[in-house]
C-alpha cells in the first residue's frame, strides 16, 4: 500500500447510496455503523481465502476516507477538512455468518484480509468530495459504479456524526458505503476497485485495488456457530431485490385509467370494501386521471424537541420526494391538519421530475398557485402559507398511514379522477378493473336504451330478456 498507515479504527457505514438503499428496499433516516478490526486490512494484489464450507463471500467496492488529524465534535460543514486522503476499499463480507453475528458483523466482516485498501491515496485537499466515483470490476466486467452525488449522507456529515461520540484519530479509516451491484464472488475470481475524480484536472485515480479469491481448506470447528445460509441471505448476498408480489403493468394502468372511480368503487363495494376512498381533498387538476402505486410519508404533530431531531437535514419528507419513482403516487398523512403546508412548489416539482403519477396529502399546500400550474396532479386539503414545522414533524416513510379517512399501505394502487380517490388492494386490482370495464359496457348499453325511450323497469338492472339483448348488442359491436 502507498502512504496508508495501519488504522487504529475502521468504521463502516451500513447503507449510504440511494441505489443500494433502493436495492435493499429500505432507506435509513440516519447513518449507522459497524467496526472492522485493523487485522482485516490487506494490500492490493493479494489473495483472499473464502473459508471452507462457505458459499456467500460478497464484495463491496467503496470509497475509504483516511482521517488526517485528531477530530472531535466538528460540524458537517467542517467534517471534510478532517480527511487527509481517500483511497479504494473492498468491504468483503461472508453472509454465511451474518445470522451468527446478530447484526454486529464481527465474524462476517472481520476476517483476515476482508478490508483491502489502496493502491494509492488521493490527497483530500485536491478533491471535491461531491465529485468522486467508485467502480468495481469482477473478472474484468464492470459491475458497480457510483458517484458521491448519489450519497444519502455526505462525507462531512459522517465525520461530524462519528466525532460527536468518539475522537477520530490520524490514520482512522471510514468506509463510506457501497453502491448497487455488490454480489457474490467465488474462488478463481478477481475483484478490482478504483476510486477516481473524473472531472478534476488530470482525473486523479487510486489505480485498481486487486484481490484474487482462493478456496480455503480448513473447516470451521465445533466450538463456535457454524456457517449457514437461507434464501434471504442468498438474496441479500447476490443483490437480488425481493420479487414484488404485484406489478402495476402498463396494461393494467391503462385499464384503470379507462374506467371511472365511481365504477371501481361499486366493484370494491361488491367485495365488501366500503372504506377505501380518500375523502375531503381538492385536486389541482380536476380533469386529470391519477393511477399509480402508493409511496407513503407520515407526519406526526409538531413537538419542538422532535422537530429538532427529525425536521432538519435530509429528513423523511426530503427522502420521500427524492425517492418517489416513475408511476408512483406519494400519499401523505397529515392528520387532516390544514394549518401549514405539507408540500410546496420545489418538492412538488421534484416529484414531477422523478415521474411521479401524483401527490396526495390530507394537509395543506404552500405555493398553491405554482403547484397547481405544474403537470403533476396534487390532491390537498387547502392552501396555507406556513412552513412544515408550524404543525408537523416529518417522521417516517413507506409505512401504513391514514390519509383522508382511508388506510393506505405502500404498494396499494391509487386511482383518482374528478370524483375523488380510491385505494385498491393490489391483490384485487385485476379482477376489480376487469369487472369495472364490463360494468361500464353494460351501463353504456342501458343508457342507449333509455335514450331510445325504453323504461328502466327490467332494464336497470337488466332482467333475463334485456340480458339476452345485451349479449346480441355486444356481438354487433
Amino acid at each position: 500500500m502507498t502512504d496508508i498507515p495501519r488504522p487504529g479504527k475502521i468504521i463502516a457505514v451500513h447503507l449510504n447510496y440511494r441505489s443500494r438503499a433502493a436495492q435493499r428496499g429500505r432507506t435509513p433516516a440516519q447513518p449507522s455503523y459497524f467496526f472492522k478490526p485493523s487485522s482485516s486490512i490487506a494490500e492490493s494484489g493479494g489473495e483472499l481465502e473464502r473459508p471452507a464450507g462457505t458459499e456467500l463471500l460478497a464484495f463491496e467496492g467503496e470509497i475509504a476516507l483516511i482521517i488526517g488529524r485528531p477530530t472531535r465534535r466538528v460540524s458537517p460543514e467542517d467534517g471534510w477538512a478532517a480527511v487527509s486522503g481517500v483511497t479504494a476499499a473492498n468491504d468483503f463480507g461472508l453472509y454465511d455468518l451474518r445470522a451468527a453475528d446478530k447484526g454486529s458483523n464481527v465474524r462476517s466482516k472481520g476476517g483476515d484480509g476482508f478490508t483491502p485498501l489502496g493502491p494509492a491515496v488521493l490527497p483530500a485537499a485536491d478533491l471535491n468530495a461531491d465529485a468522486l466515483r467508485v467502480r468495481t470490476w469482477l473478472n474484468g466486467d464492470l459491475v458497480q459504479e457510483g458517484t458521491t452525488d448519489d450519497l444519502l449522507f455526505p462525507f462531512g456529515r459522517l465525520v461530524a456524526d462519528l466525532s460527536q461520540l468518539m475522537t477520530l484519530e490520524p490514520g482512522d479509516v471510514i468506509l463510506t458505503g457501497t453502491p448497487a451491484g455488490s454480489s457474490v464472488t467465488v474462488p478463481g475470481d478477481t475483484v478490482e476497485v478504483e476510486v477516481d475524480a473524473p472531472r478534476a484536472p488530470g482525473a486523479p485515480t487510486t489505480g485498481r485495488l486487486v484481490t484474487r479469491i482462493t478456496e480455503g481448506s480448513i473447516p470451521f470447528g465445533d466450538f463456535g456457530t457454524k456457517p449457514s445460509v437461507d434464501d434471504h441471505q442468498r438474496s441479500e448476498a447476490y443483490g437480488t431485490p425481493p420479487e414484488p408480489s404485484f406489478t402495476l403493468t402498463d396494461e393494467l394502468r391503462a385499464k384503470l385509467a379507462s374506467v371511472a372511480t365511481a365504477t371501481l368503487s361499486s366493484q370494491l363495494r361488491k367485495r365488501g370494501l366500503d372504506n377505501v376512498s380518500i375523502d375531503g381533498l381538492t385536486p389541482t387538476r380536476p380533469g386529470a386521471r391519477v393511477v399509480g402505486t402508493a409511496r407513503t410519508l407520515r407526519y406526526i404533530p409538531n413537538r419542538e424537541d422532535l422537530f429538532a431531531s427529525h425536521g432538519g437535514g435530509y429528513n423523511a419528507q426530503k427522502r420521500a420526494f427524492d425517492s418517489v419513482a416513475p408511476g408512483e403516487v406519494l400519499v401523505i398523512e397529515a392528520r387532516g391538519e390544514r394549518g401549514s403546508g405539507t408540500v410546496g412548489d420545489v418538492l412538488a416539482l421534484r416529484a414531477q421530475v422523478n415521474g411521479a403519477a401524483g401527490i396526495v396529502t390530507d394537509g395543506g399546500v404552500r405555493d398553491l398557485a405554482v403547484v397547481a400550474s405544474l403537470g403533476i396532479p396534487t390532491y390537498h386539503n387547502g392552501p396555507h402559507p406556513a412552513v412544515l414545522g408550524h404543525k408537523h414533524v416529518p417522521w417516517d416513510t413507506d409505512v401504513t398511514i391514514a390519509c383522508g379517512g382511508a388506510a393506505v399501505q405502500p404498494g396499494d394502487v391509487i386511482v383518482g379522477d374528478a370524483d375523488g380517490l380510491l385505494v385498491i388492494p393490489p391483490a384485487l386490482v385485476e379482477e376489480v378493473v376487469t369487472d369495472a370495464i364490463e360494468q361500464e359496457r353494460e351501463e353504456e348499453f342501458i343508457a342507449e336504451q333509455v335514450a331510445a325511450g325504453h323504461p328502466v323497469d327490467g332494464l336497470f338492472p337488466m332482467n333475463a330478456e334485456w340480458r339476452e339483448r345485451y349479449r346480441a348488442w355486444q356481438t354487433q359491436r
Side-chain angles (χ1 to χ4, degrees):
M1 292 179 287
T2 303
D3 300 327
I4 302 178
R6 190 174 185 86
K9 297 188 286 294
I10 306 169
I11 308 167
V13 181
H14 282 107
L15 276 174
N16 198 21
Y17 283 81
R18 292 187 179 91
S19 63
R20 179 72 160 174
Q23 189 179 46
R24 288 295 201 214
R26 57 185 185 272
T27 301
Q30 303 291 345
S32 60
Y33 313 91
F34 58 94
F35 280 108
K36 299 190 75 173
S38 60
S39 55
S40 68
I41 293 293
E43 297 184 8
S44 180
E47 294 183 343
L48 176 62
E49 176 186 291
R50 188 186 74 175
T54 65
E55 62 173 282
L56 300 179
L57 178 64
F59 60 83
E60 296 182 5
E62 305 199 11
I63 298 171
L65 310 182
I66 301 173
I67 298 299
R69 66 189 188 201
T71 302
R72 182 79 159 103
R73 293 196 177 103
V74 297
S75 68
E77 294 75 22
D78 295 332
W80 175 246
V83 177
S84 63
V86 302
T87 192
N90 202 330
D91 180 19
F92 282 101
L94 195 61
Y95 282 72
D96 309 61
L97 293 175
R98 287 181 90 195
D101 279 346
K102 303 185 186 304
S104 70
N105 288 338
V106 169
R107 299 178 75 203
S108 61
K109 292 273 194 175
D112 286 354
F114 275 35
T115 315
L117 295 175
V121 176
L122 304 179
D126 299 338
L127 302 173
N128 180 349
D130 298 325
L132 299 179
R133 176 175 64 175
V134 59
R135 292 181 291 174
T136 306
W137 292 264
L138 179 63
N139 299 323
D141 294 328
L142 182 66
V143 291
Q144 283 188 289
E145 183 169 5
T147 56
T148 46
D149 59 4
D150 189 44
L151 291 177
L152 293 167
F153 313 112
F155 294 153
R157 179 172 174 181
L158 300 178
V159 173
D161 184 27
L162 290 166
S163 74
Q164 293 184 96
L165 184 65
M166 67 185 76
T167 298
L168 299 174
E169 299 168 315
D172 284 350
V173 169
I174 301 174
L175 304 182
T176 59
T178 195
S182 163
S183 193
V184 170
T185 185
V186 298
D189 284 346
T190 297
V191 188
E192 301 169 277
V193 182
E194 179 186 23
V195 171
D196 65 351
R199 298 195 299 274
T205 175
T206 63
R208 293 196 185 186
L209 170 67
V210 180
T211 306
R212 288 181 290 275
I213 309 303
T214 64
E215 180 70 271
S217 59
I218 302 175
F220 282 86
D222 295 329
F223 36 82
T225 304
K226 294 288 190 70
S228 65
V229 297
D230 54 26
D231 287 344
H232 173 70
Q233 296 300 347
R234 288 191 179 93
S235 175
E236 292 264 296
Y238 279 96
T240 306
E243 287 294 325
S245 56
F246 168 80
T247 300
L248 183 59
T249 63
D250 290 341
E251 180 183 4
L252 275 177
R253 194 182 294 272
K255 287 181 178 180
L256 287 165
S258 73
V259 292
T261 55
T263 311
L264 294 168
S265 177
S266 67
Q267 289 297 327
L268 289 164
R269 190 168 58 252
K270 288 179 181 179
R271 290 162 174 81
L273 292 172
D274 290 316
N275 299 302
V276 288
S277 63
I278 299 175
D279 296 333
L281 307 185
T282 301
T284 56
R285 300 185 63 207
R289 295 299 302 260
V290 173
V291 179
T293 50
R295 288 289 301 278
T296 60
L297 167 62
R298 183 169 72 104
Y299 297 141
I300 64 171
N302 184 40
R303 203 178 83 185
E304 288 74 9
D305 60 325
L306 297 179
F307 193 88
S309 62
H310 287 75
Y314 197 55
N315 60 34
Q317 180 196 49
K318 293 176 182 177
R319 296 196 306 273
F321 278 91
D322 255 354
S323 63
V324 64
E328 292 181 332
V329 178
L330 185 57
V331 186
I332 301 171
E333 174 183 337
R335 311 174 313 284
E337 171 57 56
R338 300 179 58 185
S340 72
T342 58
V343 58
D345 56 348
V346 172
L347 291 180
L349 179 60
R350 177 61 174 157
Q352 176 173 296
V353 169
N354 281 353
I359 302 168
V360 179
T361 174
D362 63 357
V365 171
R366 295 183 74 210
D367 315 303
L368 180 59
V370 180
V371 173
S373 71
L374 297 175
I376 186 169
T378 300
Y379 287 74
H380 61 93
N381 199 12
H384 202 282
V387 295
L388 180 71
H390 183 61
K391 293 288 185 179
H392 306 288
V393 180
W395 196 250
D396 50 11
T397 62
D398 300 318
V399 295
T400 300
I401 64 169
C403 181
V408 181
Q409 294 193 297
D412 282 344
V413 174
I414 307 297
V415 182
D417 59 17
D419 283 342
L421 291 155
L422 291 175
V423 183
I424 307 177
L428 294 179
V429 168
E430 192 148 8
E431 64 177 86
V432 164
V433 73
T434 298
D435 288 353
I437 290 171
E438 174 61 20
Q439 179 182 329
E440 290 202 342
R441 287 198 192 102
E442 292 181 6
E443 290 174 353
E444 181 185 357
F445 169 74
I446 292 169
E448 282 188 14
Q449 306 314 309
V450 171
H454 293 285
V456 295
D457 185 31
L459 174 61
F460 185 57
M462 287 186 282
N463 58 23
E465 178 184 352
W466 276 111
R467 181 69 59 185
E468 188 62 33
R469 292 188 189 185
Y470 170 63
R471 282 193 283 268
W473 178 83
Q474 282 185 301
T475 302
Q476 292 168 2
R477 290 174 63 89

